[in-house]
Amino acid sequence: MSPAGQSSSPKRRAVLRTAWALVAVAFGIYALFVGRAFWQGGL
Amino acid sequence: MTDTTLAHSDSHDHHPTGLARWLFTTNHKEIGTLYLVFSLVMFLVGGAMALVIRAELFAPGLHLVNPEFFNQMTTMHALVMIFAAVMPAFVGLANWMVPLMIGAPDMALPRMNNWSFWIMPFAFTLLLSTLFMPSGGPASGWTLYPPLSLQGGNSLAFVILAIHLMGISSIMGSINIIATILNMRAPGMTLLRMPMFVWTWLITAFLLIAVMPVLAGAVTMLLTDRFFGTSFFNAAGGGDPVLYQHIFWFFGHPEVYIMILPAFGIVSEIIPTFSRKKLFGYTSMVYATASIAFLSFIVWAHHMFTVGMPLGAALFFMYATMVIAVPTGVKIFNWVSTMWRGSMTFETPMLFALGFVVLFTIGGLSGVMLAIVPADFQYHDTYFVVAHFHYVLVTGAVFAIMASVYYWIPKWTGNMYNETLGKIHFWWSTFWVNVLFFPQHYLGLAGMPRRIPDYAIQFTEFNVISSIGGFAFGLGQLLFVYIVWQCARGGQKATDGVWEGARGLEWTVPSPAPLHTFDTPPDVDHPDYVAHTSGTS
């Protein structure tokens, strides 16, 4: 199992899909709390 | 044992040595070791700060440190113990054990795993460096409540950056754990065949991803309030300090469960092993863990009843908090039922697990007392709260971590630890931790406030007892360091199975676990494995 083979395998793609989805969730929650507060006139 | 597990060979592995080995490693076992060593060092640093606090409180009056430094110690002790000792210890255990337990060759994202760890030493160097700055370290308590936190020195900026870094590390670690568990399980390792430790960490990782960005949002607003002229929490500018408390505790209460759910998982591994029975009520354990995680999001205001809130809100948060006792009770019941009529033996991991069950329950019961709104008006910000959360976090989380180290260290090092010294460590710790924290209940009920360097003379006796307990408990942890050091250097060789009643894929690999395991996924339905993976019914 070479690294090159791993990077294109369906499992690798599934791992990356999961990871990016979770990154989006984390940023979304941060934006919900702090972004919305700034938007509503904290400044 | 099938040849799939024995097929791992390190001969193909060109591994760097020395510092580069640890700096550039992407191996889950080495990163797990890094986390655990970092955690142990920070446990000692945080412990030293606790001893400064207990030394000052040994007698009424101001003796050793000035009040400002005392406040920095209470703040830093909490930040270090929560974020640098307990959480990294659990992440280290997850790194070491989750891939082994689910039959995966490594974590799903090994390079990110390296990054997750190496952020931590920088974050906490930054945090601790504030103690040497002209304005001193943070002194407003680990919650960093405004307006007090906004009235301190410029070191707040360093503290907030450290919290951001630590949060990024936690989020990346959680993404890795979730991606690993959801994508890297061996064929046949269905979700409801996973060990309880893996389940509790899966749920914990989701909690972390949900609440660490909330903490990041809160401290970002704190930063802009302090340095950029905003007024989110500044009443003079139209802001509301109570808003900070709501946001902070929306993070803070799930954070409590982040520190205890993996502990539940550890105890759910150890008690069946030393009772030589399957875990009673596996499925209900999974649902109870998920229920506790859900409830953790709807109870935050019980930390702030005294700020005042509508009666309906106070009742809601009181009852929601009490409801947590139900799934927690299910867990206690299941652990006791697992032991019922089991062939129990009492090696050190089991002793710490049993200590956890008894003493964590004391912390849980005082938690129910604190949930009662009118009673909380009396207990709030007293030593009763300090006693409560130290029973939950020291005899709960820390005892579980120690149980797990004794349980898995033969697999990590290939050597058995010294059982006699392990038992001495347990009994010494259990006795003195109660001397340390139990009198604090009485101090709190009598009205002694927390976070004060001096106190009224009627509180002297219980403070003396508590301080003696603190120093003796701290001394006992040096024995723990010695036991771990001795075990890492040598000793009686451990077998692959290590414990007679142990079940799970981690016990099918050699001791010490080679650098690479499960390069070929194990077939968990193979007869050699099935006995290790059928613990669900």
Side-chain angles (χ1 to χ4, degrees):
Chain A
M1 208 192 310
S2 69
Q6 280 178 355
S7 65
S8 62
S9 70
K11 181 173 274 191
R12 192 73 194 152
R13 283 198 297 277
V15 164
L16 291 173
R17 229 184 355 254
T18 309
W20 280 115
L22 294 169
V23 169
V25 168
F27 270 110
I29 294 170
Y30 181 75
L32 182 74
F33 273 80
V34 75
R36 198 178 61 108
F38 275 100
W39 188 259
Q40 289 182 342
L43 285 167
Chain B
M1 183 77 56
T2 63
D3 56 0
T4 49
T5 49
L6 296 175
H8 35 62
S9 162
D10 293 345
S11 59
H12 66 281
D13 187 59
H14 303 290
H15 215 57
T17 54
L19 185 65
R21 172 188 174 192
W22 298 104
L23 208 53
F24 301 122
T25 180
T26 55
N27 182 283
H28 73 103
K29 299 182 184 80
E30 290 184 337
I31 294 174
T33 302
L34 284 171
Y35 267 111
L36 289 167
V37 171
F38 175 76
S39 162
L40 182 59
V41 170
M42 296 309 278
F43 177 64
L44 297 176
V45 171
M49 293 172 178
L51 294 184
V52 171
I53 295 167
R54 282 316 325 166
E56 179 60 50
L57 293 175
F58 188 77
L62 298 174
H63 300 282
L64 295 173
V65 294
N66 64 47
E68 181 65 20
F69 187 72
F70 183 91
N71 288 343
Q72 292 173 29
M73 286 292 99
T74 58
T75 305
M76 286 294 227
H77 163 71
L79 288 171
V80 166
M81 286 304 203
I82 292 168
F83 294 118
V86 172
M87 287 172 68
F90 284 130
V91 179
L93 293 169
N95 259 291
W96 247 105
M97 301 315 299
V98 165
L100 287 178
M101 289 175 140
I102 63 174
D106 205 311
M107 297 294 278
L109 300 148
R111 292 188 185 95
M112 192 170 82
N113 204 15
N114 173 291
W115 196 20
S116 300
F117 171 75
W118 279 109
I119 284 176
M120 299 283 287
F122 288 97
F124 286 95
T125 304
L126 198 63
L127 180 70
L128 293 171
S129 72
T130 61
L131 288 171
F132 303 99
M133 293 179 184
S135 59
S140 54
W142 81 281
T143 54
L144 303 176
Y145 277 0
L148 186 58
S149 62
L150 299 176
Q151 294 163 359
N154 290 340
S155 66
L156 182 68
F158 292 81
V159 176
I160 289 174
L161 181 58
I163 289 174
H164 274 306
L165 287 173
M166 176 278 303
I168 290 167
S169 165
S170 291
I171 290 170
M172 290 198 302
S174 301
I175 289 172
N176 222 337
I177 287 168
I178 293 171
T180 304
I181 295 172
L182 294 186
N183 297 295
M184 306 277 285
R185 300 192 310 279
M189 178 63 78
T190 57
L191 286 174
L192 283 176
R193 286 175 83 172
M194 294 194 312
M196 268 313 293
F197 180 68
V198 180
W199 255 115
T200 53
W201 241 117
L202 178 65
I203 292 168
T204 301
F206 275 110
L207 281 183
L208 273 165
I209 287 177
V211 302
M212 293 313 287
V214 178
L215 174 65
V219 296
T220 302
M221 287 186 263
L222 214 51
L223 185 80
T224 59
D225 268 12
R226 175 69 178 77
F227 296 102
F228 300 104
T230 59
S231 295
F232 291 113
F233 310 126
N234 181 1
D240 184 2
V242 175
L243 171 66
Y244 178 86
Q245 296 193 27
H246 280 291
I247 299 173
F248 181 86
W249 286 113
F250 189 77
F251 144 80
H253 200 79
E255 170 67 20
V256 174
Y257 293 98
I258 286 163
M259 289 190 283
I260 207 66
L261 292 184
F264 289 166
I266 289 164
V267 171
S268 300
E269 299 296 328
I270 291 173
I271 287 180
T273 294
F274 296 97
S275 303
R276 291 159 181 79
K277 282 175 65 186
K278 290 179 184 175
L279 181 67
F280 184 90
Y282 170 91
T283 314
S284 69
M285 281 294 213
V286 173
Y287 287 122
T289 310
S291 303
I292 292 169
F294 168 74
L295 289 168
S296 74
F297 285 104
I298 57 167
V299 298
W300 77 89
H302 69 216
H303 293 272
M304 43 187 289
F305 282 139
T306 53
V307 300
M309 63 186 72
L311 181 63
L315 285 172
F316 170 81
F317 286 111
M318 177 172 81
Y319 288 129
T321 305
M322 289 176 165
V323 167
I324 294 178
V326 176
T328 312
V330 167
K331 283 183 170 292
I332 305 283
F333 174 82
N334 283 345
W335 291 325
V336 173
S337 300
T338 303
M339 289 184 271
W340 178 253
R341 298 185 132 181
S343 301
M344 293 171 69
T345 51
F346 299 94
E347 289 85 345
T348 310
M350 182 63 161
L351 289 175
F352 271 100
L354 291 175
F356 171 96
V357 173
V358 173
L359 298 173
F360 172 80
T361 303
I362 293 176
L365 290 173
S366 59
V368 177
M369 292 170 71
L370 285 160
I372 301 165
V373 178
D376 183 73
F377 273 66
Q378 171 70 18
Y379 306 147
H380 184 82
D381 259 351
T382 69
Y383 256 82
F384 190 86
V385 179
V386 178
H388 156 69
F389 69 71
H390 279 95
Y391 266 89
V392 172
L393 290 177
V394 180
T395 60
V398 173
F399 265 39
I401 291 165
M402 288 179 170
S404 73
V405 170
Y406 285 113
Y407 187 52
W408 282 318
I409 204 170
K411 182 57 64 185
W412 302 338
T413 64
N415 305 317
M416 295 304 290
Y417 61 88
N418 185 321
E419 187 64 48
T420 307
L421 289 182
K423 284 181 172 156
I424 291 171
H425 174 230
F426 168 76
W427 286 110
W428 179 276
S429 298
T430 301
F431 176 76
W432 289 111
V433 84
N434 283 291
V435 175
L436 166 58
F437 292 123
F438 208 82
Q440 295 181 3
H441 290 108
Y442 301 121
L443 286 169
L445 291 175
M448 179 173 161
R450 58 190 289 204
R451 295 171 174 150
I452 54 162
D454 189 10
Y455 50 80
I457 200 160
Q458 71 264 27
F459 301 131
T460 305
E461 283 80 4
F462 281 130
N463 269 301
V464 169
I465 294 168
S466 182
S467 290
I468 291 169
F471 277 88
F473 179 74
L475 190 67
Q477 303 329 301
L478 298 180
L479 177 61
F480 176 66
V481 175
Y482 174 73
I483 294 167
V484 169
W485 177 79
Q486 187 189 45
C487 183
R489 283 178 60 86
Q492 184 195 337
K493 295 297 161 204
T495 59
D496 294 353
V498 182
W499 309 107
E500 184 189 45
R503 301 155 58 83
L505 291 179
E506 74 269 34
W507 306 110
T508 65
V509 303
S511 300
L515 205 56
H516 299 285
T517 39
F518 299 127
D519 285 342
T520 306
D523 175 5
V524 296
D525 291 319
H526 189 281
D528 286 344
Y529 287 111
V530 78
H532 283 282
T533 54
S534 57
T536 59
S537 56

Coordinates of all heavy atoms in Angstrom, one line a residue, chain B residues 321-389:
Chain B
T321 N -30.6 20.0 35.0 CA -29.4 19.5 35.7 C -29.6 18.3 36.4 O -28.9 17.3 36.4 CB -28.9 20.6 36.6 OG1 -28.7 21.8 35.9 CG2 -27.5 20.2 37.2
M322 N -30.8 18.2 37.1 CA -31.1 17.0 37.9 C -31.3 15.8 37.0 O -31.0 14.7 37.4 CB -32.3 17.3 38.8 CG -32.1 18.2 39.9 SD -33.6 18.5 40.8 CE -32.9 19.3 42.3
V323 N -31.8 16.0 35.8 CA -32.1 14.9 34.9 C -30.7 14.2 34.6 O -30.7 13.0 34.3 CB -32.8 15.4 33.7 CG1 -32.8 14.4 32.6 CG2 -34.2 15.8 34.0
I324 N -29.6 14.9 34.6 CA -28.3 14.3 34.3 C -28.0 13.2 35.2 O -27.3 12.2 34.8 CB -27.2 15.4 34.3 CG1 -27.4 16.4 33.2 CG2 -25.8 14.7 34.1 CD1 -26.4 17.5 33.1
A325 N -28.6 13.2 36.4 CA -28.3 12.2 37.4 C -28.9 10.8 36.9 O -28.4 9.8 37.3 CB -28.9 12.5 38.7
V326 N -29.9 10.9 35.9 CA -30.5 9.6 35.5 C -29.5 8.8 34.6 O -29.2 7.7 35.0 CB -31.8 9.9 34.8 CG1 -32.4 8.6 34.2 CG2 -32.8 10.5 35.7
P327 N -29.0 9.3 33.5 CA -28.0 8.5 32.7 C -26.7 8.3 33.5 O -26.1 7.2 33.3 CB -27.7 9.4 31.5 CG -28.2 10.8 31.8 CD -29.3 10.6 32.8
T328 N -26.4 9.2 34.4 CA -25.2 8.9 35.2 C -25.4 7.8 36.2 O -24.6 6.9 36.4 CB -24.7 10.2 36.0 OG1 -24.7 11.3 35.1 CG2 -23.4 10.0 36.6
G329 N -26.6 7.7 36.7 CA -27.0 6.6 37.6 C -27.1 5.3 36.8 O -26.7 4.3 37.4
V330 N -27.5 5.4 35.6 CA -27.5 4.1 34.7 C -26.1 3.6 34.7 O -25.8 2.4 34.8 CB -28.0 4.5 33.3 CG1 -27.7 3.3 32.3 CG2 -29.5 4.7 33.4
K331 N -25.1 4.5 34.5 CA -23.7 4.0 34.4 C -23.2 3.4 35.7 O -22.6 2.3 35.7 CB -22.8 5.2 34.0 CG -22.9 5.6 32.6 CD -22.0 6.7 32.2 CE -21.9 6.9 30.7 NZ -21.3 5.8 30.0
I332 N -23.5 4.1 36.8 CA -23.1 3.5 38.1 C -23.7 2.2 38.3 O -23.1 1.2 38.7 CB -23.5 4.5 39.3 CG1 -22.9 5.9 39.0 CG2 -23.1 3.9 40.6 CD1 -21.5 6.1 39.3
F333 N -25.0 2.1 38.0 CA -25.7 0.8 38.1 C -25.1 -0.3 37.3 O -24.9 -1.4 37.7 CB -27.2 1.0 37.7 CG -28.0 -0.3 37.7 CD1 -28.6 -0.8 38.8 CD2 -28.2 -0.9 36.5 CE1 -29.3 -2.0 38.8 CE2 -28.9 -2.1 36.4 CZ -29.5 -2.6 37.6
N334 N -24.7 0.1 36.0 CA -24.1 -0.9 35.1 C -22.8 -1.4 35.6 O -22.4 -2.6 35.5 CB -24.0 -0.4 33.7 CG -25.3 -0.3 33.0 OD1 -26.3 -1.0 33.4 ND2 -25.4 0.4 31.9
W335 N -22.0 -0.4 36.2 CA -20.7 -0.9 36.7 C -20.8 -1.8 37.9 O -20.2 -2.8 38.0 CB -19.8 0.4 37.1 CG -19.4 1.2 35.9 CD1 -19.0 0.8 34.7 CD2 -19.3 2.6 35.9 NE1 -18.7 1.8 33.9 CE2 -18.8 3.0 34.6 CE3 -19.5 3.7 36.8 CZ2 -18.6 4.3 34.2 CZ3 -19.3 5.0 36.4 CH2 -18.8 5.3 35.1
V336 N -21.8 -1.5 38.8 CA -22.0 -2.3 39.9 C -22.5 -3.7 39.5 O -22.1 -4.7 40.0 CB -23.0 -1.6 40.9 CG1 -23.3 -2.6 42.0 CG2 -22.3 -0.4 41.5
S337 N -23.4 -3.7 38.5 CA -24.0 -4.9 38.0 C -22.9 -5.8 37.3 O -23.0 -7.0 37.3 CB -25.1 -4.7 37.0 OG -26.1 -3.9 37.7
T338 N -22.0 -5.1 36.6 CA -20.9 -5.9 36.0 C -20.1 -6.6 37.1 O -19.7 -7.8 36.9 CB -19.9 -4.9 35.2 OG1 -20.7 -4.2 34.3 CG2 -18.8 -5.7 34.5
M339 N -19.9 -6.0 38.2 CA -19.1 -6.6 39.3 C -19.9 -7.7 40.0 O -19.3 -8.6 40.5 CB -18.7 -5.5 40.3 CG -17.6 -4.6 39.8 SD -17.0 -3.4 41.0 CE -18.2 -2.1 40.8
W340 N -21.2 -7.6 40.0 CA -22.0 -8.5 40.7 C -21.8 -9.9 40.3 O -21.8 -10.3 39.1 CB -23.5 -8.1 40.4 CG -24.5 -9.0 41.1 CD1 -25.3 -10.0 40.5 CD2 -24.8 -9.1 42.5 NE1 -26.1 -10.6 41.5 CE2 -25.8 -10.1 42.7 CE3 -24.4 -8.3 43.6 CZ2 -26.4 -10.3 43.9 CZ3 -24.9 -8.6 44.9 CH2 -25.9 -9.6 45.0
R341 N -21.4 -10.8 41.2 CA -21.1 -12.2 41.0 C -19.9 -12.4 40.0 O -19.8 -13.4 39.4 CB -22.3 -13.0 40.6 CG -23.4 -12.9 41.6 CD -24.5 -13.8 41.2 NE -24.9 -14.7 42.3 CZ -25.9 -15.5 42.2 NH1 -26.6 -15.7 41.1 NH2 -26.2 -16.3 43.3
G342 N -19.1 -11.4 39.9 CA -17.9 -11.5 39.0 C -16.8 -12.2 39.8 O -16.8 -12.2 41.1
S343 N -15.8 -12.7 39.1 CA -14.6 -13.2 39.8 C -13.6 -12.1 39.9 O -12.7 -11.9 39.2 CB -14.0 -14.4 39.0 OG -14.9 -15.4 38.8
M344 N -13.9 -11.3 40.9 CA -13.1 -10.0 41.0 C -11.7 -10.2 41.6 O -11.5 -10.9 42.6 CB -13.9 -9.0 41.8 CG -15.2 -8.5 41.2 SD -16.2 -7.5 42.3 CE -15.2 -6.1 42.4
T345 N -10.8 -9.5 41.1 CA -9.5 -9.3 41.7 C -9.2 -7.8 41.7 O -9.8 -7.0 41.0 CB -8.4 -10.0 40.9 OG1 -8.4 -9.6 39.6 CG2 -8.5 -11.5 41.1
F346 N -8.2 -7.4 42.6 CA -8.1 -6.0 42.9 C -6.7 -5.5 42.6 O -6.0 -5.0 43.5 CB -8.5 -5.7 44.3 CG -9.9 -6.1 44.6 CD1 -10.3 -7.4 45.1 CD2 -10.9 -5.2 44.3 CE1 -11.6 -7.7 45.3 CE2 -12.3 -5.6 44.5 CZ -12.6 -6.8 44.9
E347 N -6.2 -5.7 41.3 CA -5.0 -5.0 40.9 C -5.2 -3.5 40.9 O -6.3 -3.0 40.9 CB -4.6 -5.6 39.6 CG -4.1 -7.0 39.6 CD -5.3 -8.0 39.5 OE1 -6.4 -7.6 39.7 OE2 -5.0 -9.2 39.2
T348 N -4.0 -2.8 40.8 CA -4.1 -1.3 40.9 C -5.1 -0.7 40.0 O -5.8 0.2 40.4 CB -2.7 -0.8 40.7 OG1 -1.8 -1.5 41.6 CG2 -2.6 0.7 41.1
P349 N -5.2 -1.1 38.7 CA -6.1 -0.4 37.8 C -7.6 -0.5 38.3 O -8.4 0.4 38.3 CB -6.0 -1.1 36.5 CG -4.7 -1.8 36.5 CD -4.4 -2.1 37.9
M350 N -7.9 -1.7 38.9 CA -9.2 -2.0 39.4 C -9.4 -1.1 40.7 O -10.5 -0.6 40.9 CB -9.4 -3.5 39.7 CG -10.8 -3.8 40.2 SD -12.1 -3.5 39.0 CE -13.4 -4.5 39.6
L351 N -8.4 -1.0 41.5 CA -8.6 -0.2 42.7 C -8.9 1.2 42.4 O -9.8 1.9 42.9 CB -7.3 -0.3 43.6 CG -7.0 -1.6 44.3 CD1 -5.7 -1.6 44.9 CD2 -8.1 -1.9 45.3
F352 N -8.1 1.8 41.4 CA -8.4 3.2 41.0 C -9.8 3.3 40.4 O -10.5 4.3 40.5 CB -7.3 3.7 40.0 CG -6.2 4.3 40.8 CD1 -5.0 3.6 41.0 CD2 -6.3 5.6 41.3 CE1 -3.9 4.2 41.6 CE2 -5.2 6.2 41.9 CZ -4.0 5.5 42.1
A353 N -10.2 2.3 39.6 CA -11.5 2.3 39.0 C -12.6 2.3 40.1 O -13.6 3.0 40.0 CB -11.7 1.2 38.0
L354 N -12.4 1.4 41.1 CA -13.4 1.4 42.2 C -13.4 2.7 43.0 O -14.5 3.2 43.4 CB -13.1 0.2 43.1 CG -13.3 -1.2 42.5 CD1 -12.9 -2.3 43.4 CD2 -14.8 -1.4 42.1
G355 N -12.2 3.2 43.2 CA -12.1 4.5 43.9 C -12.9 5.6 43.1 O -13.6 6.4 43.7
F356 N -12.8 5.5 41.8 CA -13.5 6.4 40.9 C -15.0 6.3 41.1 O -15.7 7.3 41.3 CB -13.2 6.1 39.4 CG -14.0 6.8 38.4 CD1 -13.6 8.0 37.8 CD2 -15.3 6.4 38.0 CE1 -14.3 8.7 36.9 CE2 -16.0 7.0 37.1 CZ -15.6 8.2 36.6
V357 N -15.5 5.1 41.1 CA -17.0 4.9 41.2 C -17.5 5.4 42.5 O -18.5 6.2 42.5 CB -17.3 3.4 41.1 CG1 -18.8 3.1 41.3 CG2 -16.9 2.8 39.7
V358 N -16.8 5.2 43.6 CA -17.3 5.6 44.9 C -17.1 7.1 45.0 O -18.1 7.8 45.4 CB -16.5 4.9 46.0 CG1 -16.9 5.5 47.4 CG2 -16.8 3.4 46.0
L359 N -15.9 7.7 44.7 CA -15.7 9.1 45.0 C -16.3 10.0 44.0 O -16.7 11.1 44.3 CB -14.1 9.3 45.2 CG -13.5 8.5 46.3 CD1 -12.0 8.6 46.3 CD2 -14.0 9.0 47.7
F360 N -16.3 9.6 42.7 CA -17.0 10.4 41.7 C -18.5 10.5 42.1 O -19.1 11.6 41.9 CB -16.8 9.8 40.3 CG -17.7 10.5 39.3 CD1 -17.3 11.7 38.7 CD2 -18.9 9.9 38.9 CE1 -18.0 12.3 37.8 CE2 -19.7 10.6 38.0 CZ -19.3 11.8 37.4
T361 N -19.0 9.5 42.7 CA -20.5 9.5 43.0 C -20.7 10.6 44.1 O -21.7 11.3 44.1 CB -20.9 8.1 43.5 OG1 -20.7 7.2 42.4 CG2 -22.4 8.2 43.8
I362 N -19.7 10.7 45.0 CA -19.8 11.8 46.0 C -19.8 13.2 45.3 O -20.7 14.0 45.7 CB -18.6 11.7 47.0 CG1 -18.8 10.5 47.9 CG2 -18.6 13.0 47.9 CD1 -17.6 10.3 48.8
G363 N -18.9 13.3 44.4 CA -18.9 14.6 43.6 C -20.2 14.8 42.8 O -20.7 15.9 42.7
G364 N -20.8 13.7 42.3 CA -22.1 13.8 41.6 C -23.2 14.2 42.5 O -24.1 15.0 42.1
L365 N -23.2 13.7 43.7 CA -24.3 14.0 44.7 C -24.2 15.4 45.1 O -25.2 16.1 45.2 CB -24.2 13.0 45.9 CG -24.6 11.6 45.6 CD1 -24.4 10.7 46.8 CD2 -26.1 11.5 45.1
S366 N -23.0 15.9 45.4 CA -22.9 17.3 45.7 C -23.3 18.2 44.5 O -23.7 19.4 44.7 CB -21.5 17.7 46.3 OG -20.5 17.4 45.3
G367 N -23.1 17.7 43.3 CA -23.6 18.4 42.1 C -25.1 18.6 42.1 O -25.6 19.6 41.8
V368 N -25.8 17.5 42.5 CA -27.2 17.6 42.6 C -27.7 18.6 43.6 O -28.6 19.4 43.4 CB -27.9 16.2 42.9 CG1 -29.4 16.3 43.0 CG2 -27.5 15.2 41.8
M369 N -26.9 18.7 44.8 CA -27.2 19.7 45.8 C -27.0 21.1 45.2 O -27.9 22.0 45.4 CB -26.3 19.5 47.0 CG -26.5 18.3 47.8 SD -25.2 18.0 49.0 CE -25.5 19.3 50.2
L370 N -26.0 21.3 44.4 CA -25.7 22.6 43.8 C -26.8 23.0 42.8 O -26.9 24.2 42.5 CB -24.3 22.6 43.2 CG -23.2 22.7 44.2 CD1 -21.9 22.3 43.6 CD2 -23.1 24.2 44.7
A371 N -27.4 22.0 42.2 CA -28.4 22.3 41.2 C -29.7 22.9 41.8 O -30.4 23.5 41.0 CB -28.8 21.0 40.4
I372 N -29.9 22.7 43.1 CA -31.1 23.2 43.7 C -31.0 24.7 43.9 O -30.1 25.2 44.6 CB -31.3 22.5 45.0 CG1 -31.5 21.0 44.8 CG2 -32.6 23.0 45.7 CD1 -31.3 20.2 46.1
V373 N -31.8 25.5 43.2 CA -31.6 26.9 43.1 C -31.5 27.6 44.4 O -30.5 28.3 44.7 CB -32.7 27.6 42.2 CG1 -32.5 29.1 42.2 CG2 -32.8 27.0 40.8
P374 N -32.4 27.4 45.4 CA -32.3 28.2 46.6 C -31.1 27.8 47.4 O -30.4 28.6 48.1 CB -33.6 27.9 47.4 CG -34.2 26.7 46.7 CD -33.7 26.7 45.3
A375 N -30.7 26.5 47.3 CA -29.5 26.0 48.0 C -28.3 26.6 47.4 O -27.3 27.0 48.1 CB -29.4 24.5 48.0
D376 N -28.3 26.7 46.0 CA -27.1 27.3 45.3 C -26.9 28.7 45.7 O -25.7 29.1 45.7 CB -27.3 27.1 43.8 CG -26.1 27.6 43.0 OD1 -25.1 26.9 43.0 OD2 -26.2 28.8 42.5
F377 N -27.9 29.4 46.1 CA -27.7 30.8 46.5 C -26.8 30.9 47.8 O -26.1 31.8 48.0 CB -29.1 31.5 46.8 CG -29.7 32.1 45.6 CD1 -30.1 31.4 44.5 CD2 -29.8 33.5 45.4 CE1 -30.6 31.9 43.3 CE2 -30.3 34.1 44.3 CZ -30.7 33.3 43.2
Q378 N -26.9 29.8 48.6 CA -26.0 29.7 49.7 C -24.7 29.2 49.4 O -23.6 29.7 49.8 CB -26.7 28.7 50.8 CG -25.8 28.4 52.0 CD -25.6 29.6 52.9 OE1 -26.3 30.5 52.9 NE2 -24.5 29.5 53.7
Y379 N -24.6 28.2 48.5 CA -23.3 27.5 48.2 C -22.5 28.3 47.2 O -21.2 28.1 47.1 CB -23.5 26.1 47.6 CG -24.4 25.2 48.4 CD1 -25.2 24.3 47.7 CD2 -24.4 25.2 49.8 CE1 -26.0 23.4 48.4 CE2 -25.2 24.3 50.5 CZ -26.0 23.4 49.8 OH -26.8 22.5 50.4
H380 N -23.1 29.1 46.4 CA -22.4 29.7 45.2 C -21.1 30.4 45.7 O -21.1 31.2 46.6 CB -23.3 30.7 44.5 CG -22.7 31.3 43.3 ND1 -22.7 30.6 42.1 CD2 -22.1 32.5 43.1 CE1 -22.1 31.4 41.2 NE2 -21.7 32.5 41.7
D381 N -20.0 30.2 44.9 CA -18.7 30.8 45.2 C -18.2 30.5 46.6 O -17.4 31.3 47.1 CB -18.8 32.3 44.9 CG -18.2 32.7 43.6 OD1 -17.6 31.8 42.9 OD2 -18.3 33.9 43.2
T382 N -18.5 29.4 47.1 CA -17.9 29.0 48.4 C -17.1 27.8 48.2 O -17.0 27.2 47.1 CB -19.0 28.6 49.5 OG1 -19.6 27.4 49.1 CG2 -20.1 29.7 49.6
Y383 N -16.4 27.4 49.3 CA -15.5 26.2 49.2 C -16.3 24.9 48.9 O -15.8 23.9 48.6 CB -14.6 26.0 50.4 CG -13.2 26.5 50.0 CD1 -12.9 27.8 50.0 CD2 -12.3 25.5 49.6 CE1 -11.6 28.2 49.5 CE2 -11.0 25.9 49.2 CZ -10.7 27.3 49.1 OH -9.5 27.7 48.7
F384 N -17.7 24.9 49.1 CA -18.5 23.8 48.8 C -18.4 23.4 47.3 O -18.2 22.3 46.9 CB -19.9 24.0 49.2 CG -20.8 22.8 49.1 CD1 -20.9 21.9 50.1 CD2 -21.5 22.5 47.9 CE1 -21.7 20.7 50.1 CE2 -22.3 21.3 47.8 CZ -22.4 20.4 48.9
V385 N -18.4 24.5 46.5 CA -18.2 24.3 45.0 C -16.8 23.7 44.7 O -16.7 22.8 43.9 CB -18.5 25.6 44.3 CG1 -18.3 25.4 42.8 CG2 -19.8 26.2 44.6
V386 N -15.8 24.3 45.4 CA -14.4 23.8 45.2 C -14.3 22.3 45.5 O -13.8 21.5 44.8 CB -13.4 24.6 46.1 CG1 -12.0 24.1 45.9 CG2 -13.5 26.1 45.7
A387 N -14.9 21.9 46.7 CA -14.9 20.5 47.1 C -15.7 19.7 46.0 O -15.2 18.6 45.6 CB -15.6 20.3 48.4
H388 N -16.8 20.1 45.6 CA -17.6 19.4 44.6 C -16.8 19.1 43.3 O -16.7 18.0 42.9 CB -18.9 20.2 44.2 CG -19.4 19.9 42.9 ND1 -20.0 18.7 42.6 CD2 -19.5 20.6 41.7 CE1 -20.4 18.7 41.3 NE2 -20.1 19.8 40.8
F389 N -16.2 20.2 42.7 CA -15.6 19.9 41.4 C -14.3 19.2 41.5 O -13.8 18.6 40.6 CB -15.6 21.1 40.5 CG -14.7 22.3 40.9 CD1 -13.3 22.1 40.8 CD2 -15.2 23.5 41.3 CE1 -12.5 23.2 41.1 CE2 -14.4 24.5 41.7 CZ -13.0 24.4 41.6

